[in-house]
Amino acid sequence: MCMTKARYVILWLMVVLYGLLLCSCNHSEKAFTVNGLAVEKAELVHYMQENTAVVAAALEEEAGVDSFHDDFWLVPQNGVDTFSRLREYTTQQIVRQKVEQLCAKEQGIDTPLYYSDQLTEMKEQNRQRTSAYETGEVLYGPVERDFVTYFSEWYLDMKKQCRAVLSEKGTLSIAAGEIEAYYEAHRENFTSESREDAYYRIREYLLDEAYEVYIDTLAEQAKVTEGNVRILPEEVV
């Protein structure tokens, strides 16, 4: 009996250790950290790939470089390290995302912080949608969503929830005088609605702006620490 119990204990410990090992492996290749939260290499690579067009266009306008060169991301162009600029731009984007996610988490909003967890959640949602479709349930949009669609939907929902909680707590607030001043300055935009409806829309607009400024401030104050991996141009483009 004792031997059997001991075997169960050993088996349980092995399962726990295996789970911890998996978690460690998932988040070990960190490109950098934001306020202690690891950003995985795969996430940075993903967003760098998403940002190649916008960064290339910006560099063409700013530095007069030709983004159609085959080696555009491989070697500096006109003295501009294009690949480093791509990484810098993407890092700033991710830092803002992470501080917003951390803010939402602090407000009690459930949100997957890690890229690998987001992919897992997306796959599970796609599995559920496929199963529902096969049983004849009516679905909106494609049966399976790609990561961009999945991320956009839940991130927008997270933003709305976070803004609502911050507003309820008084962290974000719009004074009546601000609403009235905006209304008087833009009265021509509200001729087709009542003052009450206009004030509501103005308050929502000003709250949105206040929320974005609040997140921008958090991003500026974030502590960012470089990780332990390199990313080569060949991994991105």
Side-chain angles (χ1 to χ4, degrees):
M1 184 68 177
C2 291
M3 287 297 293
T4 302
K5 185 176 180 180
R7 287 173 183 167
Y8 277 122
V9 171
I10 293 172
L11 179 60
W12 179 80
L13 288 173
M14 290 176 66
V15 170
V16 171
L17 289 172
Y18 180 67
L20 292 173
L21 179 61
L22 282 178
C23 290
S24 175
C25 290
N26 283 342
H27 304 147
S28 61
E29 278 200 316
K30 57 185 179 183
F32 55 95
T33 63
V34 181
N35 292 341
L37 175 65
V39 174
E40 297 160 276
K41 175 182 177 180
E43 182 170 16
L44 180 56
V45 169
H46 166 77
Y47 285 108
M48 288 178 71
Q49 291 170 338
E50 290 285 316
N51 288 332
T52 52
V54 66
V55 173
L59 291 177
E60 282 187 336
E61 182 175 350
E62 173 189 324
V65 297
D66 182 3
S67 65
F68 289 98
H69 277 179
D70 292 337
D71 60 356
F72 181 75
W73 300 111
L74 303 178
V75 297
Q77 306 290 317
N78 294 352
V80 177
D81 189 338
T82 55
F83 191 71
S84 291
R85 293 289 293 273
L86 174 62
R87 178 163 182 163
E88 290 168 8
Y89 177 89
T90 307
T91 297
Q92 291 175 2
Q93 173 191 21
I94 294 176
V95 167
R96 194 183 190 283
Q97 286 180 0
K98 293 305 179 186
V99 297
E100 189 168 11
Q101 288 178 263
L102 287 169
C103 178
K105 202 80 171 179
E106 290 173 1
Q107 311 312 316
I109 299 166
D110 185 27
T111 176
L113 296 175
Y114 293 102
Y115 179 68
S116 55
D117 294 338
Q118 294 164 16
L119 290 175
T120 299
E121 176 65 22
M122 179 194 69
K123 291 175 182 177
E124 175 58 22
Q125 286 191 14
N126 282 338
R127 186 195 66 76
Q128 293 177 8
R129 288 176 65 83
T130 299
S131 177
Y133 177 77
E134 291 173 348
T135 59
E137 185 176 332
V138 176
L139 300 177
Y140 295 97
V143 176
E144 291 194 359
R145 294 168 174 160
D146 60 18
F147 183 76
V148 173
T149 303
Y150 157 79
F151 181 86
S152 298
E153 287 187 0
W154 77 254
Y155 197 82
L156 179 59
D157 183 61
M158 180 203 73
K159 287 173 71 76
K160 289 179 178 178
Q161 292 185 62
C162 189
R163 197 208 75 160
V165 174
L166 291 173
S167 178
E168 289 172 4
K169 288 183 174 180
T171 305
L172 303 177
S173 61
I174 305 299
E178 294 180 71
I179 298 174
E180 186 175 353
Y182 188 93
Y183 177 80
E184 293 299 333
H186 303 86
R187 184 185 286 267
E188 68 278 4
N189 297 329
F190 305 103
T191 55
S192 62
E193 58 191 309
S194 68
R195 182 181 288 250
E196 182 181 0
D197 289 342
Y199 275 26
Y200 174 80
R201 287 208 299 126
I202 291 169
R203 180 180 181 278
E204 290 301 298
Y205 170 73
L206 294 179
L207 273 175
D208 282 340
E209 285 202 326
Y211 174 78
E212 296 301 333
V213 170
Y214 180 78
I215 298 301
D216 284 341
T217 302
L218 293 181
E220 291 170 3
Q221 297 172 347
K223 180 181 179 181
V224 181
T225 306
E226 285 299 317
N228 54 9
V229 296
R230 290 184 60 203
I231 297 178
L232 302 174
E234 294 81 1
E235 297 177 86
V236 177
V237 296

